[in-house]
Amino acid sequence: MLLIDCPYCGKRPEVEFHCGGEAHIARPEMPTAVEDADWGSFLYYRTNPKGLHAERWLHGHGCGRWFNALRDTVSDAFVATYEMGKPRPDRDEATASSPSNA
């Protein structure tokens, strides 16, 4: 079973969580001033990288709070989790604090 380290509750089984998509996407300050093509890109186009990817996650069957996670899309391993509003850890920092490296 995959365990996800909620920054608020600690390690919990994956069935308690829901992915909310890519993290750190900034909504346009004036949506009415954005061209239709740009608005469509904002709504529907996201990166789909091979490797580390920042995502938003909801601990729906636990504390009910949102947090961000760095997940390796190749191995499906969670490299780091961090509270909303905190900056994304860089690759070296996240790898060094990874549970598999601790």
Side-chain angles (χ1 to χ4, degrees):
M1 172 182 303
L2 177 63
L3 295 176
I4 299 174
D5 191 9
C6 174
Y8 308 104
C9 303
K11 293 183 188 279
R12 306 295 300 162
E14 68 177 308
V15 296
E16 294 186 5
F17 299 89
H18 301 283
C19 184
E22 188 172 352
H24 308 292
I25 303 294
R27 183 180 178 92
E29 288 186 27
M30 302 233 359
T32 56
V34 176
E35 296 293 323
D36 289 345
D38 294 332
W39 185 246
S41 293
F42 165 75
L43 290 175
Y44 301 111
Y45 292 99
R46 298 289 182 253
T47 60
N48 188 18
K50 182 177 183 179
L52 280 185
H53 184 53
E55 300 170 326
R56 300 174 338 150
W57 283 80
L58 172 65
H59 192 180
H61 296 288
C63 63
R65 296 175 79 178
W66 286 92
F67 62 92
N68 291 326
L70 280 182
R71 185 177 64 85
D72 187 326
T73 60
V74 175
S75 65
D76 201 30
F78 281 74
V79 176
T81 58
Y82 52 105
E83 297 176 11
M84 291 291 241
K86 301 263 173 125
R88 173 185 169 158
D90 68 22
R91 175 182 288 270
D92 296 331
E93 179 184 323
T95 305
S97 65
S98 173
S100 62
N101 296 330

